[in-house]
Amino acid sequence: MSSSNSVTVQILDKDYSIICPPEERSNLVSAARYLDGKMREIRSSGKVIGADRIAVMAALNITHEMLHRQETPEVASGGTTREQVRDLLERVDSALADDTGTKNG
């Protein structure tokens, strides 16, 4: 990969150059911002000292959030994603049926 595929992100005031595909750049930057925010929260609490320990605590917190969302996705979104997609498909089918009926009639 070339250096044009390199993205520099800043986490706790340190720059990190990371090579990634161009289509993943925005996701990488978003992830770095999220991690930086979590690490800053932990550092500002004053309970954890040292970048390594802060990074581990941030990783544990983020992993916990992710696992919790996987366990209860319907609570966070007001219904499962599958149900939302099914509802959306039904609405699209209905709209297409209405449109087809209008053109033929």
Side-chain angles (χ1 to χ4, degrees):
M1 289 190 157
S2 69
S3 62
S4 65
N5 290 335
S6 178
V7 177
T8 301
V9 296
Q10 193 173 68
I11 300 171
L12 280 187
D13 304 321
K14 287 183 81 175
D15 288 341
Y16 296 89
S17 245
I18 301 167
I19 295 174
C20 76
E23 64 272 12
E24 290 296 321
R25 275 193 141 129
S26 64
N27 288 338
L28 175 62
V29 170
S30 294
R33 283 186 190 141
Y34 187 77
L35 176 59
D36 182 59
K38 287 292 182 184
M39 290 179 70
R40 287 178 185 281
E41 284 177 24
I42 292 166
R43 183 176 67 181
S44 69
S45 76
K47 296 177 182 175
V48 181
I49 298 173
D52 291 348
R53 289 178 178 262
I54 291 171
V56 169
M57 291 305 296
L60 285 171
N61 287 337
I62 292 168
T63 303
H64 178 264
E65 290 172 6
M66 181 193 72
L67 292 174
H68 183 70
R69 284 186 192 137
Q70 286 177 347
E71 290 172 1
T72 57
E74 61 277 355
V75 173
S77 65
T80 64
T81 303
R82 183 171 292 172
E83 289 170 348
Q84 291 172 341
V85 169
R86 190 176 300 128
D87 180 54
L88 182 59
L89 286 173
E90 287 174 7
R91 291 176 18 206
V92 168
D93 286 343
S94 176
L96 289 174
D98 289 346
D99 190 44
T100 303
T102 304
K103 287 181 182 177
N104 291 335

